[in-house]
Amino acid sequence: MLWTDTVLDPFAQMGDPAADAIIARIFATGDIAEANSLFRTIQENQDGIPNKGMGFLQDWFRETAPLPPWFDPERVRDGQQLFLRHAPAISAALYNRALPELYCGWKGVQVLAISSRLNRDPARRINETGQFVFDVADIGGFLPGGRGVRSAQKVRLVHAGVRYLIKSRRGLWNPLWDEPISQEHLAGTNLAFSSSTLEGLMCLGINFTPREIAGYMHLWKVAGWYMGIEAPLLTDDYAEARALAAAIRRRNFARSDEGVELTRSLINHMKDMVPGETLDRTVPMIMRWMLGEEMADMLEVPVSRFDGAVTRPIRLLNRIIDRVGDRSPLIAAIFTRFNRQLLKALLANYRQVNKVEFQISPTLRTALDLDRA
């Protein structure tokens, strides 16, 4: 498809009618505490929807839980296996490519600026995003009662709730910013987690087979469907996704004070998460490297003359490992241990900030050997 302004303009003015109607009904009851209680119960209960609380909200969770008719379990497994192999690297791509890329969208980033949630508590919001990615991409995420389904449903309602609150306060939202959390913005977010993440991993020197790429793209097409993204904006074709992402960037990317501030908060969060003065310089280097100069400059990611000295060896090491695979168990073991320790640091930080356990399935914990000292 040719992603012209004529095609994309209607999606920039469209929210999520089905989820918006549910949120409006919740607010009409005036019992927000009951809705929050049901949300918490659903989050803690992975066996199904509890038979208590708002009946219409329970019905919505049940009605939106079935898989899409085009769901391909084999391709989803391929995508989840890719995640299983590269979870630490995907985490790095999330922090250094996907999230900052979203901050380049000067219209969509206004939602985060208004809520001020990232500025006041950047660690919690960033870690919640990481949990969402793990829930969707982990093995079994789309099985009945899977965490991927539940997480996507809840994120969809959260988006609708934010949209409702912003629009209900006169003068808070500028019409020039399009619809709050519009379909175009939702599609851009989904692409950041799918095609842009793959691009970030390729920057690390990690290559994928066409089957792996198709699987990961299909995985996020399913996630996007659960998040209420309109069908024309969902694709599991990598080339088509890149074309759509390029069109969204052309229409939305520009420097903004809000985007710069959110990026600064993200960089500071990563510095705080991994102690050491050396890493204070490394974090923005890697972010610039994965984003590319244009987006990095847009977000005012700090520049260092040592960028090449740090990133070139990392890229070379990843390429060596990706080429030799199992033929070089020593190199693979060193890199696997490094990634495992990095992921452990992320999990420890999440527990410290949120006072709860970061949810990772036993399958993934075993595959990544996270329980070994």
Side-chain angles (χ1 to χ4, degrees), residues 11-246:
F11 294 114
Q13 304 301 326
M14 183 188 304
D16 181 354
D20 291 343
I22 289 294
I23 291 297
R25 190 171 177 183
I26 290 174
F27 277 93
T29 67
D31 197 347
I32 307 304
E34 183 179 352
N36 286 335
S37 176
L38 180 59
F39 266 52
R40 285 193 298 270
T41 304
I42 290 169
Q43 184 171 1
E44 296 165 359
N45 177 14
Q46 296 306 308
D47 297 325
I49 306 300
N51 291 313
K52 63 179 181 178
M54 295 179 172
F56 68 89
L57 186 55
Q58 296 176 48
D59 291 342
W60 183 88
F61 273 99
R62 293 192 182 96
E63 291 166 1
T64 58
L67 293 164
W70 38 262
F71 177 84
D72 186 330
E74 184 174 343
R75 285 168 54 173
V76 165
R77 279 195 299 271
D78 289 340
Q80 290 172 335
Q81 286 297 327
L82 182 151
F83 178 78
L84 195 66
R85 286 177 50 208
H86 299 292
I90 289 173
S91 297
L94 171 67
Y95 279 75
N96 294 284
R97 173 62 184 257
L99 286 175
E101 179 174 323
L102 295 177
Y103 302 159
C104 290
W106 73 276
K107 298 177 183 178
V109 81
Q110 303 301 325
V111 171
L112 295 174
I114 288 174
S115 67
S116 298
R117 195 175 176 198
L118 256 177
N119 290 339
R120 293 176 184 170
D121 192 0
R124 183 178 183 87
R125 181 66 177 92
I126 292 166
N127 286 333
E128 286 174 350
T129 302
Q131 180 71 75
F132 169 67
V133 171
F134 270 79
D135 289 345
V136 165
D138 200 359
I139 301 297
F142 294 121
L143 294 178
R147 292 188 62 87
V149 174
R150 293 287 178 266
S151 288
Q153 288 176 310
K154 286 178 285 188
V155 168
R156 182 180 182 182
L157 285 187
V158 167
H159 286 162
V162 171
R163 193 182 299 115
Y164 178 93
L165 290 172
I166 287 177
K167 295 177 71 174
S168 66
R169 286 160 172 75
R170 183 176 299 178
L172 192 61
W173 189 255
N174 188 331
L176 293 176
W177 299 336
D178 299 330
E179 179 76 0
I181 317 181
S182 71
Q183 284 291 320
E184 184 177 16
H185 297 154
L186 289 171
T189 300
N190 190 259
L191 292 167
F193 293 148
S194 56
S195 60
S196 288
T197 291
L198 291 177
E199 289 177 29
L201 294 178
M202 291 173 189
C203 286
L204 290 170
I206 300 174
N207 297 315
F208 309 101
T209 66
R211 176 170 176 168
E212 287 177 319
I213 292 174
Y216 201 70
M217 293 301 301
H218 189 72
L219 173 70
W220 281 100
K221 180 180 180 182
V222 176
W225 186 83
Y226 276 114
M227 291 177 67
I229 299 176
E230 293 289 311
L233 298 175
L234 290 174
T235 180
D236 50 16
D237 181 273
Y238 182 61
E240 180 74 7
R242 293 191 67 187
L244 175 56

